[in-house]
Amino acid sequence: MQYRPTEIEPKWQQRWAEARVAEIDVAAPGQKLYMLNMFPYPSGDLHVGHGRNYILGDAVYRYFRMQGRVALNPMGWDAFGLPAENAAIKKQTHPRVWTLGNIERMKRQFGRWGILYDWSKEIASCEPEYYKWNQWLFLQLYKRGLAYRGTAPVNWCPQDQTVLANEQVVDGRCERCGALVEQRELSQWFFKITDYADRLDAGLDTLEHWPEKVKLMQRNWIGRSRGADVDFDVPSLGKPIRVFTTRPDTIFGATFMVLAPENPDVAALIADHPDRAAIEEWITGVRNQSALERQEAGKEGRFTGKTAVNPFTGEEIPIWLGNFVLPQYGTGALMAVPAHDERDFEFAKQYGLPVRSVIALTSGEQPELPFTAKDESGVAMGSGPIDGLPVPKAIDRIIEIIEERGIGRGIVRYRLRDWLISRQRYWGTPIPMIYCEKCGLVPVPEEQLPVTLPLDVPFTGREGNPLGKHDAFVNVACPQCGAAARRETDTMDTFVDSSWYFLRFVTPRDDQKIFDAELVNRWLPVDQYIGGVEHAILHLLYARFITRTLHDMGLLSFEEPFARLFNQGMITKEGYKDARGAWVSPSEVELRDGKPYRGDEELTAEITKMSKSRLNVVPPDELIARFGADTERVYTLFIAPPEKEAAWSDEGVVGAFRFLGRVWNMFDRLQDQATPDVVRKMHQTIDAVTTRIERFEFNTAISALMEFSNVLGDAPSREAYEALLKLLHPFAPHMTEELWAMLGNEEFLLTSRWPVADRALMQEDTVTIAVQVNGKLRGQVEVAAPAEEAKVFEAIGANEKIQNWLAGKELVKRIYVPGKLVNIVVK
RNA sequence: GCGAAAGUGGCGGAAUUGGCAGACGCGCUGGACUUAGGAUCCAGUGGCCCAAAGCCGUGUGGGUUCGAGUCCCACCUUUCGCACCA
């Protein structure tokens, strides 16, 4: 009987669904396990690259099920967001219709991959039952001063007609559409994540099972810096200007000061400047530049004509304005120490400002300038009270002095800025606030939630948010005084939706509260979180932040939502470009001598991320129709280590298919007796596959199964075959279920118990031991396994020469490894 | 520029604590079965060599060690992240 996956797979998918195998009662006893794949944005069709993420999660889920864990494995939809709105404008449909249609398609695709989710817990963030709690959360944060309205220079995307978070601006362009981002002053809603900067930074140390890379990216993003705020007197201003520095030890080398053009003191400083108009014009020019343009312009500055007093040298130093000083970091003013800071050095050279070195090398020599090392390699000099101290100590000491003199203080600052959550867009959670002329800002009372997003709005793609044109939505009575008032029309950043969804999965239908605290504290943190590295900073940082705010409200007993994090790599494939750089469909491409052609035109091949525009996506449907979902699953996991990027190969798929076909064909020739070799290999394989799944080494877990099947030949024992089916189940669930049933089992293989390796049976009968002395082979002996030390020595003792060498020498290493040539090394 | 990770056959990749380099798979070569093969099965497959013996082989150059893909130093290359954060 031939292996025909297309006949087997739909049958088992249906049986699992009918038996609701993945649905669990969160109140039931048992050892819990919370598995979670990041919930996707429902963009439509899934390709094999997306599949990797979910297949991987499903394999782990099935493994833990077979280990007897009560496993929660839910799925939902990050269903608000810009693409739905853009599609609505383009196709004249409603974002909701477009979104729900995509959800249905993706759900079917998950089914065809054989992926088991607990669909009774499905959530979609665009539904009022869900976003009601977004609004509730907003109100709690507002109550605690963690949500506030502020005016800020914001990134405005002229193409999408919306404000973008700093994180959504990449190289000065809109992350989504690529348009150049403009700076605008607007009143916006923020979440005060900066209040949690220190805890978000410190908490990273507790995340033992997160990739180092992700922790580092978060750490850099938070950008913790220890330093000092120091006041420099400015006689002409009648008040000091405060600067922030991480190198207060270099203050004796501060030869000028630079302010950001946006600094509020600038106006007073240049008020009586003879060229005031020219300077103001320059400031306006700089302020209108995007961050990218500013940087590309190089370092530019203007002298204000005023001076400040260096509090340590007593010198008057010039105050400059500089385009490289960031207004939002520190105090928007800095003391420039050109000798020990590259940027200050560059600026000083450009404008001929003095450079004074105040750090010597520990060796006593003078370093080449600028010398910026912040470690023990430098020693303070020409710096009065801190002379001779190594840099780290000098920093501590000078901060003490600054504090004693009352001219500043040691301080920790962060790069992290508050989270701008306002979006001038329709398809998102309405922010539950009302503007009343009498009462001002009034929160919508909790009992009036949800503020429902109206569905009957026009989509023109022009003039901002369509919500603003919906009179019934906008015009409301003030909840406090009853007078006519206006509703907030901004919606929330979709990262708000995803900052707490993992808490909702435990009790997704609760309409009285955001979640059941007792159950959530039992099920969370998530044991295993799986998703792309593209969420390394934003999503994960926001989720960690919101979790802490809920912790501080007394609702959660934990501060870190995800105990273990795994980032899978992308799947790439070659795409073909013609001479003009346009992507060419693979169906038009012909390979000759390994080079791609379209007719006579030679094309270039490029390995890239799969995407529709590059015409290099592999749709799973064709693949499944030809080889089955099990083959796709096995190939996807076998292709490379799961955290690595991997290139899809259509030929490679065949190997996985052949392997499954061989396992299938064994069924007809089962035997009762197993040879000792097979028994040993079985236990070795059980051990190998188990540890490799635990370590997310699926590629080698599968190669171990291939080896096992090679040892089994075409006539395995029934016992070994059953073990193979179990070990293979997480990777090829349909075929193994079918064979398991054919063996006469009534229960699902999924609900059977994972096999346990017997270590004693894993051992080889004998071990070959080679004895080497000073690198030269002195003989080999065979001893029984498990090798006992006494037997090894006895065996060695049998060799006269070795015995002599051994006398009076130290045995430095003994290795007993089954099946391996082992050296005894003697010094 | 700063930070991080990685360099192993034609390709994807294996190799607990330093211990038979190249597992497993693709591809390729030969064979079997076939009207046919882009199906299936069997054998071979790092390089040099007709073959054997042997020698050479994990980015480059040094070092430690009886022994190095693995550890140390310097360098080269690639990928990713951040990008004037004082």
Side-chain angles (χ1 to χ4, degrees):
Chain A
M1 195 177 36
Q2 250 203 313
Y3 173 45
R4 293 188 204 285
T6 46
E7 291 170 17
I8 296 168
E9 293 180 352
K11 178 175 77 185
W12 288 102
Q13 286 159 12
Q14 197 185 339
R15 288 193 191 174
W16 292 323
E18 282 167 1
R20 299 169 179 269
V21 285
E23 292 186 19
I24 62 157
D25 173 3
V26 288
Q31 197 193 355
K32 72 96 182 177
L33 180 95
Y34 189 176
M35 286 276 314
L36 188 61
N37 273 95
M38 288 179 185
F39 73 161
Y41 180 77
S43 55
D45 295 318
L46 293 164
H47 56 63
V48 295
H50 301 115
R52 189 184 202 188
N53 188 11
Y54 305 104
I55 287 166
L56 190 155
D58 188 65
V60 176
Y61 165 74
R62 287 175 185 267
Y63 165 75
F64 279 116
R65 277 291 301 268
M66 294 175 78
Q67 286 284 11
R69 303 288 287 272
V70 180
L72 174 61
N73 191 34
M75 182 43 70
W77 312 97
D78 190 10
F80 272 139
L82 217 41
E85 211 166 331
N86 291 341
I89 293 160
K90 204 168 150 193
K91 299 176 184 171
Q92 283 304 306
T93 168
H94 194 279
R96 184 183 158 82
V97 172
W98 184 85
T99 302
L100 295 185
N102 287 348
I103 287 175
E104 275 322 299
R105 289 222 301 284
M106 288 171 69
K107 217 168 156 176
R108 275 202 301 276
Q109 183 58 60
F110 286 145
R112 283 193 292 263
W113 274 322
I115 289 164
L116 300 178
Y117 291 122
D118 182 346
W119 289 112
S120 72
K121 306 210 169 33
E122 180 181 6
I123 56 180
S125 60
C126 64
E127 300 295 355
E129 304 86 79
Y130 183 86
Y131 68 71
K132 171 183 177 178
W133 301 108
N134 260 351
Q135 295 170 340
W136 178 87
L137 178 67
F138 179 96
L139 294 177
Q140 308 312 307
L141 295 177
Y142 182 73
K143 255 192 247 174
R144 287 165 176 77
L146 291 169
Y148 67 93
R149 194 157 172 85
T151 305
V154 296
N155 306 300
W156 176 262
C157 173
Q159 176 76 35
D160 289 338
Q161 290 276 301
T162 193
V163 168
L164 302 170
N166 294 323
E167 298 86 332
Q168 289 167 325
V169 181
V170 176
D171 292 335
R173 290 174 180 277
C174 173
E175 179 191 48
R176 215 180 287 282
C177 70
L180 268 179
V181 171
E182 300 169 2
Q183 298 297 308
R184 289 199 184 177
E185 288 279 337
L186 285 179
S187 186
Q188 301 282 318
W189 286 100
F190 291 88
F191 282 171
K192 213 169 179 186
I193 192 171
T194 51
D195 270 12
Y196 285 77
D198 51 347
R199 284 164 67 188
L200 290 168
D201 184 69
L204 292 171
D205 292 330
T206 68
L207 298 171
E208 286 171 46
H209 303 291
W210 276 40
E212 288 303 323
K213 178 183 169 171
V214 173
K215 287 193 274 187
L216 191 69
M217 282 165 74
Q218 292 224 347
R219 203 161 262 136
N220 291 340
W221 191 263
I222 296 166
R224 183 181 197 276
S225 304
R226 206 179 79 89
D229 278 357
V230 189
D231 289 334
F232 281 56
D233 278 332
V234 181
S236 61
L237 207 58
K239 63 161 198 158
I241 290 180
R242 174 162 279 208
V243 301
F244 172 66
T245 176
T246 56
R247 293 296 304 277
D249 59 310
T250 62
I251 196 164
F252 283 84
T255 50
F256 57 102
M257 180 187 275
V258 194
L259 306 188
E262 290 87 347
N263 188 298
D265 289 328
V266 170
L269 284 171
I270 61 168
D272 56 357
H273 194 284
D275 279 332
R276 185 176 137 192
I279 294 184
E280 280 175 346
E281 192 182 328
W282 175 81
I283 291 173
T284 310
V286 172
R287 292 183 70 152
N288 282 342
Q289 282 176 329
S290 69
L292 183 69
E293 289 169 326
R294 258 197 215 199
Q295 197 164 344
E296 280 175 350
K299 291 204 172 34
E300 277 182 23
R302 292 290 185 274
F303 180 42
T304 60
K306 298 294 190 310
T307 57
V309 179
N310 182 320
F312 281 85
T313 63
E315 282 173 315
E316 294 212 350
I317 58 174
I319 303 175
W320 282 69
L321 308 181
N323 66 345
F324 68 102
V325 182
L326 302 171
Q328 71 281 354
Y329 184 75
T331 60
L334 58 86
M335 65 174 213
V337 185
H340 307 294
D341 183 283
E342 282 187 35
R343 297 150 303 180
D344 299 350
F345 187 78
E346 195 186 327
F347 194 81
K349 283 284 158 217
Q350 190 167 333
Y351 291 103
L353 295 160
V355 178
R356 183 190 307 144
S357 179
V358 291
I359 305 286
L361 291 173
T362 310
S363 61
E365 291 163 58
Q366 293 305 306
E368 193 185 325
L369 299 184
F371 177 72
T372 59
K374 208 182 167 179
D375 52 30
E376 309 277 343
S377 61
V379 179
M381 65 170 193
S383 296
I386 57 170
D387 267 358
L389 289 177
V391 168
K393 286 209 173 75
I395 292 174
D396 292 341
R397 180 66 194 127
I398 197 85
I399 289 174
E400 284 172 23
I401 298 171
I402 288 165
E403 290 179 348
E404 281 161 19
R405 288 181 53 185
I407 55 168
R409 62 191 172 126
I411 190 173
V412 173
R413 287 192 182 270
Y414 299 90
R415 294 176 55 176
L416 186 67
R417 283 185 262 161
D418 278 340
W419 175 12
L420 171 55
I421 63 144
S422 286
R423 294 293 181 276
Q424 288 68 49
R425 278 280 164 172
Y426 163 75
W427 192 233
T429 302
I431 292 175
M433 295 297 293
I434 289 166
Y435 298 97
C436 171
E437 289 202 7
K438 275 193 235 162
C439 314
L441 268 178
V442 182
V444 173
E446 282 180 29
E447 58 276 12
Q448 287 179 22
L449 297 183
V451 175
T452 312
L453 190 65
L455 296 179
D456 52 336
V457 296
F459 298 101
T460 60
R462 279 177 241 280
E463 296 148 30
N465 190 344
L467 270 184
K469 284 167 243 153
H470 193 284
D471 292 339
F473 178 81
V474 173
N475 300 317
V476 286
C478 169
Q480 268 176 30
C481 69
R486 284 182 62 82
R487 202 184 275 290
E488 171 64 84
T489 58
D490 281 2
T491 53
M492 294 184 207
D493 180 4
T494 57
F495 277 113
V496 176
D497 312 356
S498 56
S499 67
W500 65 279
Y501 76 104
F502 42 91
L503 303 169
R504 184 69 180 168
F505 276 130
V506 178
T507 51
R509 308 283 166 254
D510 194 329
D511 59 1
Q512 299 302 308
K513 48 191 184 301
I514 185 166
F515 51 74
D516 182 300
E518 198 178 316
L519 285 170
V520 163
N521 284 324
R522 186 185 149 210
W523 278 92
L524 279 272
V526 172
D527 293 275
Q528 180 67 64
Y529 199 31
I530 299 171
V533 73
E534 67 273 18
H535 292 116
I537 298 175
L538 301 186
H539 162 58
L540 291 170
L541 192 65
Y542 295 149
R544 296 178 62 227
F545 160 59
I546 293 297
T547 300
R548 279 171 171 75
T549 65
L550 291 164
H551 170 270
D552 293 353
M553 290 174 207
L555 291 171
L556 298 178
S557 59
F558 53 90
E559 295 200 17
E560 289 294 345
F562 312 117
R564 224 172 248 275
L565 174 68
F566 183 81
N567 298 125
Q568 84 283 356
M570 252 180 357
I571 297 229
T572 58
K573 190 164 194 329
E574 67 275 9
Y576 301 100
K577 270 184 181 174
D578 65 18
R580 294 189 314 279
W583 296 97
V584 176
S585 164
S587 59
E588 298 177 54
V589 176
E590 196 189 334
L591 288 178
R592 275 177 253 150
D593 301 329
K595 287 181 186 162
Y597 288 87
R598 174 175 58 190
D600 292 332
E601 186 190 1
E602 190 173 340
L603 306 169
T604 51
E606 198 180 308
I607 304 273
T608 65
K609 172 183 177 174
M610 275 187 195
S611 74
K612 271 186 200 164
S613 60
R614 296 182 176 98
L615 304 171
N616 65 344
V617 292
V618 177
D621 281 352
E622 296 166 29
L623 193 71
I624 290 173
R626 199 159 154 215
F627 298 106
D630 284 340
T631 292
E632 183 188 339
R633 290 174 62 116
V634 168
Y635 175 66
T636 296
L637 295 174
F638 180 65
I639 184 169
E643 68 279 6
K644 272 194 70 170
E645 192 172 274
W648 186 268
S649 138
D650 291 326
E651 294 81 39
V653 175
V654 176
F657 183 67
R658 274 185 210 144
F659 164 59
L660 294 179
R662 277 198 296 275
V663 174
W664 177 268
N665 290 333
M666 286 176 195
F667 177 81
D668 292 328
R669 290 184 290 274
L670 295 186
Q671 306 195 336
D672 292 336
Q673 289 295 316
T675 64
D677 278 354
V678 165
V679 172
R680 189 187 315 120
K681 190 70 185 173
M682 178 177 84
H683 287 282
Q684 287 173 353
T685 306
I686 292 169
D687 185 59
V689 173
T690 307
T691 56
R692 287 168 187 183
I693 291 179
E694 299 262 358
R695 291 188 206 157
F696 275 49
E697 294 167 2
F698 308 109
N699 55 329
T700 53
I702 290 169
S703 78
L705 288 168
M706 288 172 168
E707 277 184 64
F708 184 33
S709 92
N710 290 343
V711 168
L712 289 181
D714 55 2
S717 75
R718 191 184 157 111
E719 184 200 15
Y721 192 61
E722 285 188 357
L724 175 61
L725 294 184
K726 287 186 177 185
L727 298 176
L728 190 51
H729 179 75
F731 310 118
H734 309 87
M735 185 191 82
T736 50
E737 280 285 10
E738 176 76 11
L739 289 164
W740 185 249
M742 283 159 62
L743 286 169
N745 294 292
E746 303 275 324
E747 301 288 312
F748 286 120
L749 178 55
L750 172 70
T751 58
S752 73
R753 291 313 294 266
W754 191 255
V756 177
D758 184 335
R759 300 210 153 255
L761 296 175
M762 282 166 57
Q763 305 289 324
E764 302 284 336
D765 294 339
T766 61
V767 179
T768 304
I769 306 234
V771 180
Q772 264 183 8
V773 177
N774 296 335
K776 286 183 186 162
L777 191 68
R778 295 303 188 191
Q780 294 187 14
V781 288
E782 268 198 7
V783 296
E788 295 160 28
E789 198 171 58
K791 284 187 185 169
V792 175
F793 282 119
E794 191 188 321
I796 291 166
N799 184 322
E800 207 182 319
K801 286 182 182 173
I802 307 268
Q803 205 171 21
N804 292 338
W805 279 313
L806 269 177
K809 287 179 177 170
E810 188 196 356
L811 216 54
V812 293
K813 192 150 196 189
R814 300 187 291 269
I815 310 155
Y816 311 102
V817 184
K820 268 195 170 174
L821 186 73
V822 173
N823 306 329
I824 300 259
V825 180
V826 182
K827 256 184 192 162

